[in-house]
Amino acid sequence: MLNQLRQIVERKKGQKEKVVSLLSSCKREIRQLKKDINFSEQAQAIIQKVAQETQKRLEWHISEVVTLALASTFDNPYIFKTEFVQRRGKTECDLFFEKDGFRIDPIAEAGGGTVDVAAFALRVAMWSLAKSRWRNTLIFDEPFKNINDKTRKTYERVAEMVKILSRKLKLQFIIITMIPELEEIADRVFEFNLMQGKTKIEEKIKNKNT
């Protein structure tokens, strides 16, 4: 009987030592996990701060380029704004106009010509932000088709805006258009005509003084 009790005590001691060892190991893992959580929280805070700074720079750059394009084209123009917001766990970018402190939906409340200019400048702004700009050419098909100006003043301003962007950014535009003012500032002009079911392409000889 005594021997049996001794054996039971020894087994219990062995079980106790295992439990103590396991408990010590769990405590070490808990301490390490706490350190990992703290490190992850610090890393997340840094990432969020960098993301916020990046978003602010993007907002400023895009808004500046598009607003300048609108200001150079229209009298009493809208201010173009961008705003990064969190929706459904994702970051989204809202684009809108602003005038006299009021937020305006570009599609629903602004004229088509204004939207055309903003869309043109927005595409240029996005190109300028690209990490790799190996192709310095953008192609547009009737980008200003919704501008309606009988005095031609707005068309002249649009042409000047395109010319300035091209020179400052060293960016080539290939534009399909029926606007004479854009033709006048182009380096080369090609005319497309449909003849007997076939498209005929001819380069127009421009006056060297233009």
Side-chain angles (χ1 to χ4, degrees):
M1 177 65 75
L2 185 59
N3 289 333
Q4 289 179 348
L5 290 174
R6 286 177 177 173
Q7 290 176 0
I8 292 172
V9 170
E10 291 298 325
R11 285 200 300 270
K12 294 298 182 182
K13 285 182 178 179
Q15 291 174 355
K16 178 183 177 181
E17 290 175 356
K18 289 182 179 179
V19 170
V20 171
S21 176
L22 181 61
L23 181 60
S24 177
S25 176
C26 289
K27 287 181 178 179
R28 288 196 299 270
E29 289 183 8
I30 290 172
R31 287 195 296 269
Q32 186 59 46
L33 287 172
K34 286 183 178 179
K35 290 181 181 179
D36 292 343
I37 291 172
N38 184 51
F39 177 78
S40 297
E41 289 175 345
Q42 292 178 355
Q44 184 178 13
I46 293 172
I47 292 172
Q48 288 177 342
K49 186 175 181 180
V50 171
Q52 290 172 355
E53 291 298 322
T54 302
Q55 289 172 1
K56 287 180 182 179
R57 292 180 182 179
L58 287 174
E59 287 177 1
W60 179 83
H61 178 80
I62 295 172
S63 297
E64 183 190 42
V65 172
V66 180
T67 297
L68 285 174
L70 292 170
S72 65
T73 305
F74 302 103
D75 295 322
N76 192 24
Y78 293 108
I79 296 174
F80 184 81
K81 294 282 188 176
T82 60
E83 182 179 20
F84 288 92
V85 294
Q86 290 289 329
R87 293 193 183 98
R88 299 175 293 277
K90 295 181 179 180
T91 302
E92 298 181 0
C93 183
D94 288 344
L95 308 176
F96 58 93
F97 290 150
E98 188 177 278
K99 179 175 281 190
D100 301 325
F102 292 98
R103 184 167 174 164
I104 298 169
D105 184 342
I107 304 301
E109 303 176 64
T114 305
V115 173
D116 281 353
V117 173
F120 180 90
L122 181 59
R123 187 173 170 190
V124 172
M126 295 305 296
W127 172 87
S128 67
L129 287 170
K131 289 183 179 179
S132 176
R133 297 196 301 240
W134 59 270
R135 189 181 71 172
N136 65 332
T137 303
L138 291 179
I139 302 173
F140 294 88
D141 185 4
E142 293 288 354
F144 308 111
K145 60 181 178 295
N146 292 306
I147 293 177
N148 185 12
D149 180 18
K150 294 180 180 179
T151 67
R152 315 301 299 184
K153 179 181 178 181
T154 303
Y155 291 118
E156 292 174 358
R157 290 182 173 182
V158 164
E160 185 63 22
M161 179 265 292
V162 170
K163 183 167 65 173
I164 291 173
L165 287 176
S166 176
R167 289 178 178 175
K168 284 191 173 182
L169 299 176
K170 296 182 179 176
L171 177 60
Q172 181 185 46
F173 295 118
I174 298 176
I175 300 177
I176 300 171
T177 184
M178 297 178 67
I179 300 175
E181 285 78 4
L182 287 174
E183 178 183 327
E184 291 172 4
I185 60 102
D187 295 321
R188 300 178 68 182
V189 177
F190 294 87
E191 189 172 44
F192 293 72
N193 292 296
L194 186 63
M195 301 178 64
Q196 298 179 347
K198 295 182 180 180
T199 301
K200 185 178 180 181
I201 305 174
E202 291 183 347
E203 182 173 3
K204 295 181 68 174
I205 305 301
K206 295 189 63 179
N207 190 327
K208 294 183 179 181
N209 295 323
T210 60

